[in-house]
Amino acid sequence: SSGINAEYGVVAWRNKIEKNLEEVLQTDTVFTNVGRGEMAKAADLKNIFKTDDRTKICIEILEKGEFQLSEKERQSALNSKFTEVAASISGMCINPATQRPYPVSMVETAMKDAHVSVNPNKSAKQQALEVLKTLKESIPIERVKMTIRVSIGQGDAKKCRDQIKALFSSISSEDNDSQFEIVGTAEPGNYKPLAEMVGKHSRGKGMCEVIGVEKSSDMDVFKS
């Protein structure tokens, strides 16, 4: 084994969350027995890995090597994935009564109350769809797209036009006369960032409003 920070490193690397090798490895030294501090011989490494490049060897160990998580490490991975799933649901769903997204903390509470368990090796978006079906049995929640209108002065829009457009899933109209006005659909989780961006760059003079809500197909979760 190499000097890997197992609690975070292996899981993060294999899930492509962490791509900086220096953040994953404590050292590029390869051990035959970490507990006893026994290092692998250079000749043995070259014979097994067909290279003496320590970085390449460590990457192969990270990607293909077997490892065991301690109970603490396993729980940490589960907690992280649990929050990811809740954040994914919060970002794509609303409370039909308020027409606004649920905070992530509230989704987490609902998941715990429903005894939801998550798989740390599956993506959050893949699991969000199944969890959403479970949550619908206990709380009012709908997978939707919001139709949002943004209006901001042309001078102010120069600073944030591209960022505003990037938060829309699709754009139905765009007006660039005296005001920069755009209407389109967006994930519920993008409403707050849009409103904050418009408010910041227009010094409170711009407008960001929800003008409609439409249910989304559950399969949209795999496209977003």
Side-chain angles (χ1 to χ4, degrees):
S1 65
S2 58
I4 297 170
N5 178 359
E7 181 170 357
Y8 172 76
V10 178
V11 175
W13 181 270
R14 291 184 177 180
N15 288 334
K16 304 191 186 304
I17 296 169
E18 180 58 70
K19 298 180 181 178
N20 183 354
L21 196 61
E22 292 181 0
E23 293 294 326
V24 177
L25 296 179
Q26 296 172 341
T27 173
D28 64 359
T29 300
V30 180
F31 296 87
T32 54
N33 189 308
V34 177
R36 293 201 295 263
E38 297 174 358
M39 293 182 287
K41 295 177 182 179
D44 290 340
L45 290 174
K46 189 161 187 178
N47 182 49
I48 295 169
F49 295 98
K50 312 305 179 188
T51 179
D52 52 12
D53 185 320
R54 290 295 180 92
T55 299
K56 290 181 180 178
I57 291 171
C58 287
I59 289 174
E60 185 165 346
I61 292 172
L62 269 172
E63 294 179 348
K64 299 179 181 178
E66 294 182 7
F67 76 102
Q68 292 182 330
L69 287 177
S70 69
E71 186 56 39
K72 177 185 174 184
E73 292 161 352
R74 188 176 294 107
Q75 192 59 50
S76 176
L78 278 171
N79 290 344
S80 177
K81 185 63 68 173
F82 194 89
T83 299
E84 279 185 60
V85 172
S88 183
I89 292 171
S90 172
M92 65 185 184
C93 298
I94 64 167
N95 177 343
T98 64
Q99 297 287 289
R100 291 291 181 270
Y102 281 104
V104 175
S105 59
M106 197 172 290
V107 176
E108 285 186 291
T109 298
M111 287 168 63
K112 289 173 184 175
D113 290 345
H115 306 293
V116 168
S117 59
V118 298
N119 183 336
N121 299 315
K122 286 178 64 178
S123 78
K125 285 191 175 181
Q126 283 180 319
Q127 296 182 76
L129 183 58
E130 290 303 318
V131 173
L132 179 56
K133 290 177 183 176
T134 301
L135 293 184
K136 283 183 176 181
E137 297 174 7
S138 56
I139 62 172
I141 188 168
E142 291 290 346
R143 164 87 167 126
V144 301
K145 292 279 190 182
M146 285 181 165
T147 302
I148 298 173
R149 178 191 291 124
V150 166
S151 181
I152 186 172
Q154 286 291 359
D156 297 326
K158 289 178 182 178
K159 312 167 197 170
C160 58
R161 188 190 311 265
D162 290 342
Q163 295 97 308
I164 286 174
K165 292 174 74 170
L167 289 171
F168 282 88
S169 304
S170 64
I171 295 169
S172 53
S173 70
E174 184 177 339
D175 187 349
N176 284 287
D177 292 335
S178 58
Q179 292 273 106
F180 170 63
E181 183 173 299
I182 187 169
V183 177
T185 58
E187 295 283 0
N190 285 345
Y191 170 73
K192 186 177 179 182
L194 272 169
E196 289 177 346
M197 191 181 302
V198 170
K200 174 185 174 183
H201 289 288
S202 70
R203 297 169 300 284
K205 297 177 183 177
M207 179 183 67
C208 178
E209 61 176 342
V210 178
I211 59 176
V213 173
E214 59 184 67
K215 288 188 179 182
S216 294
S217 163
D218 284 341
M219 291 308 294
D220 287 347
V221 72
F222 297 111
K223 302 174 188 176
S224 48

